[in-house]
């Protein structure tokens, strides 16, 4: 059995193993990481050999950590990444290039339509009716997009939203409210099969699915990093955040919104961002937490989107795709039955 795991911002971890009588056997770790001392590699191999094949990633990581000699240095990988690679081997998880990827970047649609397309396209990937897809959003009006479990009245100031022309909509994924001003953010969605993130913890899958974005941002001179659970950040603050929804049919939605430009005053008048939210960030201002891409790169929003598409295409061999008329029609029906209804918007009052 063979498993691979590319550590976000780090190195490739490769494992080969067999299973005999319910135990891991003939385990060997390899990769382009750095490890000192050299013979610590044998210690890691010995720690994993003999573990139950049902051991989870945390159990495997704990065994590896306990076996490391005092003062061992692991650069570009961690005991947890070894555990993830082992689990991916045991479930025969595919890698990015085992799929045919499509990239979609089409005409602007309403915020509600973008949310409905997310559900439709994720469902179709889960059903096997669509190839895994990266979609860059375009929209024709400003909106506050709240998380699936957020309270409308706790997150949005209705007077401020109305005054600044922001609609309020609810998405199917969890996480926090995002201000999506026209031409002031960059948003993308990934529609992937669950097998791509098999063997990973929920938290690990966030960083794994956004590693290509970090590479794109670094190519533009931004020293981007991933901050658990779901933030993409630069040296001066947060750039954006991600959210996920996993469907019962095996489709996974992973989408992220990155700030291109922002007006901190408008943000403070539209969103209700409480002190508790800010207390663990070491700041008293939500606006100060965000470092927009326009300031960092000096590039037009369209250029940044093109760099994103270019990076993803180069890394994973993606081809241009399109949303079919049938998919648009299905999404329009879902807007009418779900996303445009008061019942959905106020399901958490």
């Amino acid at each position: 059995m063979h498993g691979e795991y590319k550590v976000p911002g780090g190195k490739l971890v490769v494992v080969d193993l067999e299973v005999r009588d319910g135990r891991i056997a003939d385990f060997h770790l390899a990769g382009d990481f750095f490890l000192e001392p050299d013979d610590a590699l044998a210690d890691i191999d010995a720690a994993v050999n003999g573990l139950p094949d049902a051991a989870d990633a945390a159990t495997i990581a704990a065994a590896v950590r306990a076996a490391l000699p005092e003062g061992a240095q692991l650069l570009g990988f961690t005991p947890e990444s070894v555990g993830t690679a082992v689990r991916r081997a045991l479930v025969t998880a595919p890698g990015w290039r085992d799929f045919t990827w499509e990239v979609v970047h089409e005409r602007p649609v309403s915020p509600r339509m973008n949310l409905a397309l997310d559900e439709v396209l994720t469902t179709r990937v889960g059903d096997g009716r669509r190839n895994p897809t990266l979609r860059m959003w375009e929209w024709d009006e400003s909106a506050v997009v709240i998380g699936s479990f957020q309270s409308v009245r706790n997150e949005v100031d209705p007077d401020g939203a109305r005054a600044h022309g922001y609609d309020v909509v609810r998405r199917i994924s969890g996480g926090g409210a995002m201000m999506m001003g026209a031409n002031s953010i960059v948003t993308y969605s990934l529609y992937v099969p669950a097998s791509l993130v098999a063997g990973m913890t929920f938290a690990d899958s966030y960083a794994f699915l956004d590693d290509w974005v970090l590479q794109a941002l670094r190519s533009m001179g931004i020293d981007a990093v991933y901050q658990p659970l779901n933030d993409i950040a630069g040296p001066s603050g947060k750039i954006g955040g991600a959210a996920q929804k996993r469907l019962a049919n095996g489709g996974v939605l992973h989408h992220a919104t990155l700030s291109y430009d922002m007006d901190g005053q408008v943000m403070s008048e539209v969103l209700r961002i409480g002190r508790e939210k800010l207390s663990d960030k070491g700041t008293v201002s939500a606006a100060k937490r965000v470092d927009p891409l326009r300031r960092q790169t000096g590039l037009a929003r369209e250029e940044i989107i093109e760099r994103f598409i270019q990076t993803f295409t180069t890394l994973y061999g993606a081809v241009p795709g399109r949303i079919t008329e049938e998919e648009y029609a299905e999404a329009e029906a879902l807007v009418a039955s779900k996303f445009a209804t008061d019942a959905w918007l106020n399901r958490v009052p």
Side-chain angles (χ1 to χ4, degrees):
M1 297 177 181
H2 180 84
E4 297 185 0
Y5 177 59
K6 169 64 169 63
V7 179
K11 299 297 185 178
L12 182 66
V13 177
V14 181
V15 300
D16 291 283
L17 57 92
E18 300 293 337
V19 173
R20 299 194 190 102
D21 299 325
R23 298 277 172 176
I24 297 172
D26 296 336
F27 175 82
H28 297 285
L29 172 67
D32 60 354
F33 50 77
F34 299 91
L35 175 63
E36 295 291 344
D38 281 355
D39 53 13
L41 185 64
D43 294 327
I44 294 174
D45 288 351
V48 177
N49 272 312
L51 290 176
D53 63 354
D56 61 17
T59 299
I60 297 165
V64 169
R65 184 172 286 106
L68 289 170
E70 186 176 353
Q73 298 292 313
L74 285 67
L75 303 177
F77 78 118
T78 63
E80 285 72 22
S81 62
V82 176
T84 298
V86 172
R87 290 309 315 164
R88 288 176 64 77
L90 290 166
V91 298
T92 60
W96 288 93
R97 282 193 167 266
D98 291 319
F99 297 99
T100 299
W101 291 92
E102 295 182 15
V103 177
V104 172
H105 186 204
E106 296 196 348
R107 61 181 170 84
V109 295
S110 70
R112 288 184 177 87
M113 188 65 169
N114 271 309
L115 298 176
L117 282 170
D118 268 358
E119 184 166 337
V120 167
L121 299 182
T122 304
T123 300
R124 286 180 172 244
V125 169
D127 289 343
R129 291 180 287 157
R130 161 175 277 278
N131 288 328
T133 301
L134 166 68
R135 179 173 73 94
M136 306 302 305
W137 288 31
E138 295 293 350
W139 59 100
D140 54 12
E141 59 185 279
S142 297
V144 175
V145 181
I146 63 173
S148 181
F149 309 107
Q150 288 189 295
S151 160
V152 178
R153 63 172 174 240
N154 288 346
E155 300 300 328
V156 184
D157 183 314
D159 294 333
R162 193 162 38 249
H164 292 289
Y166 278 80
D167 193 8
V168 182
V169 295
R170 184 185 296 277
R171 62 181 184 265
I172 63 173
S173 62
M178 302 297 296
M179 276 188 64
M180 300 180 64
N183 297 314
S184 67
I185 61 165
V186 175
T187 295
Y188 60 85
S189 293
L190 279 169
Y191 314 111
V192 309
S195 59
L196 179 63
V197 292
M200 296 184 195
T201 65
F202 202 87
D204 284 345
S205 72
Y206 270 83
F208 177 78
L209 291 174
D210 279 336
D211 189 50
W212 66 275
V213 178
L214 301 188
Q215 295 185 56
L217 292 171
R218 288 167 187 157
S219 77
M220 292 181 273
I222 300 173
D223 186 18
V225 296
Y226 212 85
Q227 294 182 339
L229 170 69
N230 62 335
D231 284 354
I232 299 168
S236 300
K238 178 177 175 179
I239 299 170
Q244 278 187 23
K245 176 66 177 179
R246 302 191 179 200
L247 304 185
N249 74 344
V252 176
L253 165 65
H254 179 94
H255 49 194
T257 294
L258 286 72
S259 176
Y260 173 69
D261 202 0
M262 68 172 294
D263 185 322
Q265 184 60 37
V266 171
M267 184 178 184
S268 67
E269 292 173 9
V270 173
L271 297 183
R272 299 187 194 275
I273 303 179
R275 293 178 182 175
E276 195 66 26
K277 171 81 171 179
L278 297 173
S279 64
D280 67 336
K281 309 295 183 181
T283 180
V284 295
S285 168
K288 289 180 181 178
R289 291 177 51 213
V290 181
D291 196 14
L293 293 174
R294 182 177 182 179
R295 187 204 67 77
Q296 295 194 65
T297 67
L299 297 175
R301 177 177 173 274
E302 294 74 17
E303 292 178 273
I304 292 172
I305 291 173
E306 183 54 37
R307 183 68 63 88
F308 278 18
I309 292 173
Q310 211 175 64
T311 300
F312 190 89
T313 298
T314 300
L315 287 171
Y316 308 132
V319 298
R322 57 182 289 272
I323 299 171
T324 67
E325 291 305 314
E326 183 183 8
E327 289 167 338
Y328 274 123
E330 189 177 340
E332 286 171 357
L334 196 56
V335 168
S337 66
K338 181 175 182 178
F339 289 100
T341 67
D342 286 340
W344 172 251
L345 176 62
N346 295 300
R347 77 185 195 99
V348 182

